[in-house]
Amino acid sequence: MNIFRTMKSAGALVCAAVLACTAFTACSNTSDSSAAKSSSAASSENGKNDKTAKGEMRDISSMELCGEMQLCWNLGNTLDVCNADRDGDGQIDENSENVDETLWGNVMTTPEIFETLKSQGFNAVRIPVTWRDHIDENYTIDEAWMDRVQEVVDYAYDLDMYVIINVHHDGGGDPEFGAWIRETAENDYDSWYKEYSAIWTQICSRFENYSDKLIFESMNEVGFDDLNTNKAYELLNKMNQSFVDLVRSTGGNNPQRHLLIAGYWTDIDKTVSRSFKMPTDPQNRCIVSVHYYTPWEFCVCENQYEWGTDAETDVMKNQINKLKTTFIDNGIPVIIGEYGTGNNEKASVIYFDEMLTKLTHDIGIPVFLWDNGAVFNRSTLQWNDPDLLTALQRAVSGEDYEVTKG
């Protein structure tokens, strides 16, 4: 989720107070934190880039690869944290000279988190990463941060799970506090590319030997609403093409790696527009990235407590059908990299999540639950609502049934 776009979207003034209070609720755990930090330090000392043998890059299409993904989950508000103005009031909310994954209230990530999820049917995780607090004036990524990112990736990757990594809040809307992707690309593309390519070149180098279970995502929720429509789309299309060209020029398995391409604001309606263009890729291994937070009032603001009228379910069905007719039916795979519902009525949340997961799974679109720490308790390794887990498992079971509201 792009917290900065959240604050600047329609209805932001209504949502701001709610988000500031409820969106980042997980609590710290001292023992988990100490253990994970010790592990991270040891990995850094030993040199973490030990994947010297190339992993397997199978002869499968990106569509086939997406079809293998079952239950999917986001490690949210963790490696994507940063010194940031999260509530849009012009002030940094949390601030640290040494930003780590606990800054926004979550525990240090442990292998047991992914082991538990894997045992419950999850085989794909998206690990959003923000780099802006961890690069120097030459755009060199801090070694300890890169080591920790790789360590967390390995927790999932070594379980044979699919893993997506990206550049996340580097594309935020608070350039005065460190975001740079949007403002720099709009004002000086060459300067933007210098930083962007430096960061991605280092990421590509560190992960070059990973198999096709690791996917790179170009960016997160980026758009240019202060430009006219044609120029805005042209700029995002150009940035995505630069991303593909850059990754393909690097070593290891990267010339064949499956890539996730950010739609315009990762918004479905804006991405199915003819103005959005998928990059040219000699490998034909690009996947469209969109997010699903409709209706915004229910999914983000939490000022709509219930969901599930016929009109509301029709909207969901129509939105997913747009992805099918625009992309899937034309051989272009899609991943919904985020969806979520906030702390609303239990029956509505389960109905929304199960219906979305079944609709997308039935047509081969993986959908990744956004979890900021409030859905799956990372300390106890328990779901805050076990009935939600049961519903999600049912949605990807392959069973032919109609989702109903409990």
Side-chain angles (χ1 to χ4, degrees), residues 147-216:
D147 287 347
R148 180 57 180 159
V149 170
Q150 185 180 14
E151 183 174 40
V152 174
V153 167
D154 285 352
Y155 291 160
Y157 178 84
D158 289 345
L159 294 172
D160 198 34
M161 299 177 81
Y162 282 102
V163 182
I164 298 170
I165 59 174
N166 67 357
V167 290
H168 203 75
H169 291 315
D170 302 88
D174 63 337
E176 63 273 30
F177 300 119
W180 55 274
I181 286 181
R182 286 157 53 187
E183 184 170 271
T184 308
E186 186 174 330
N187 295 318
D188 187 344
Y189 194 86
D190 289 343
S191 293
W192 168 82
Y193 185 73
K194 182 177 181 181
E195 183 166 0
Y196 186 79
S197 63
I199 291 171
W200 267 114
T201 296
Q202 292 168 82
I203 298 169
C204 286
S205 176
R206 177 60 69 102
F207 293 98
E208 64 180 7
N209 287 328
Y210 283 61
S211 74
D212 57 16
K213 290 298 181 77
L214 180 66
I215 298 165
F216 294 157

Side-chain angles (χ1 to χ4, degrees), residues 8-272:
K8 293 171 176 59
S9 296
L13 294 178
V14 177
C15 303
V18 176
L19 283 172
C21 295
T22 65
F24 314 100
T25 56
C27 299
S28 179
N29 180 293
T30 303
S31 61
D32 284 352
S33 177
S34 299
K37 286 178 178 176
S38 297
S39 176
S40 181
S43 296
S44 181
E45 291 172 2
N46 295 332
K48 192 68 179 75
N49 189 11
D50 57 1
K51 295 285 193 302
T52 54
K54 282 188 179 182
E56 183 183 7
M57 299 297 284
R58 295 165 294 167
D59 184 20
I60 62 173
S61 68
S62 295
M63 190 78 78
E64 292 171 312
L65 179 135
C66 287
E68 294 184 351
M69 297 184 190
Q70 297 296 308
L71 289 176
C72 311
W73 181 80
N74 271 278
L75 183 72
N77 288 16
T78 308
L79 294 177
D80 53 316
V81 302
C82 53
N83 292 320
D85 173 18
R86 294 200 286 148
D87 58 11
D89 65 356
Q91 303 293 323
I92 287 183
D93 294 285
E94 298 87 1
N95 187 27
S96 173
E97 290 186 8
N98 298 299
V99 173
D100 72 14
E101 66 213 76
T102 67
L103 181 66
W104 291 354
N106 275 313
V107 299
M108 294 288 283
T109 309
T110 63
E112 290 77 15
I113 292 170
F114 300 101
E115 290 165 4
T116 301
L117 291 169
K118 178 71 181 290
S119 73
Q120 295 169 339
F122 288 80
N123 74 340
V125 296
R126 181 171 176 260
I127 302 177
V129 184
T130 299
W131 306 89
R132 68 195 219 185
D133 291 315
H134 309 281
I135 53 177
D136 64 18
E137 63 276 6
N138 297 315
Y139 312 132
T140 300
I141 299 169
D142 176 72
E143 187 74 11
W145 183 249
M146 181 70 91
D147 287 347
R148 180 57 180 159
V149 170
Q150 185 180 14
E151 183 174 40
V152 174
V153 167
D154 285 352
Y155 291 160
Y157 178 84
D158 289 345
L159 294 172
D160 198 34
M161 299 177 81
Y162 282 102
V163 182
I164 298 170
I165 59 174
N166 67 357
V167 290
H168 203 75
H169 291 315
D170 302 88
D174 63 337
E176 63 273 30
F177 300 119
W180 55 274
I181 286 181
R182 286 157 53 187
E183 184 170 271
T184 308
E186 186 174 330
N187 295 318
D188 187 344
Y189 194 86
D190 289 343
S191 293
W192 168 82
Y193 185 73
K194 182 177 181 181
E195 183 166 0
Y196 186 79
S197 63
I199 291 171
W200 267 114
T201 296
Q202 292 168 82
I203 298 169
C204 286
S205 176
R206 177 60 69 102
F207 293 98
E208 64 180 7
N209 287 328
Y210 283 61
S211 74
D212 57 16
K213 290 298 181 77
L214 180 66
I215 298 165
F216 294 157
E217 180 182 20
S218 61
M219 61 195 89
N220 177 71
E221 295 183 3
V222 170
F224 303 94
D225 290 347
D226 52 340
L227 297 178
N228 72 54
T229 300
N230 288 339
K231 288 185 177 180
Y233 276 96
E234 287 172 2
L235 180 54
L236 183 71
N237 294 338
K238 182 178 180 181
M239 294 164 73
N240 279 327
Q241 185 66 61
S242 292
F243 167 72
V244 172
D245 294 345
L246 170 65
V247 175
R248 294 291 178 243
S249 72
T250 61
N253 283 328
N254 294 328
Q256 292 83 39
R257 189 167 306 286
H258 299 268
L259 303 176
L260 190 54
I261 305 302
Y264 194 90
W265 282 127
T266 59
D267 176 273
I268 291 177
D269 286 327
K270 292 180 170 60
T271 302
V272 299

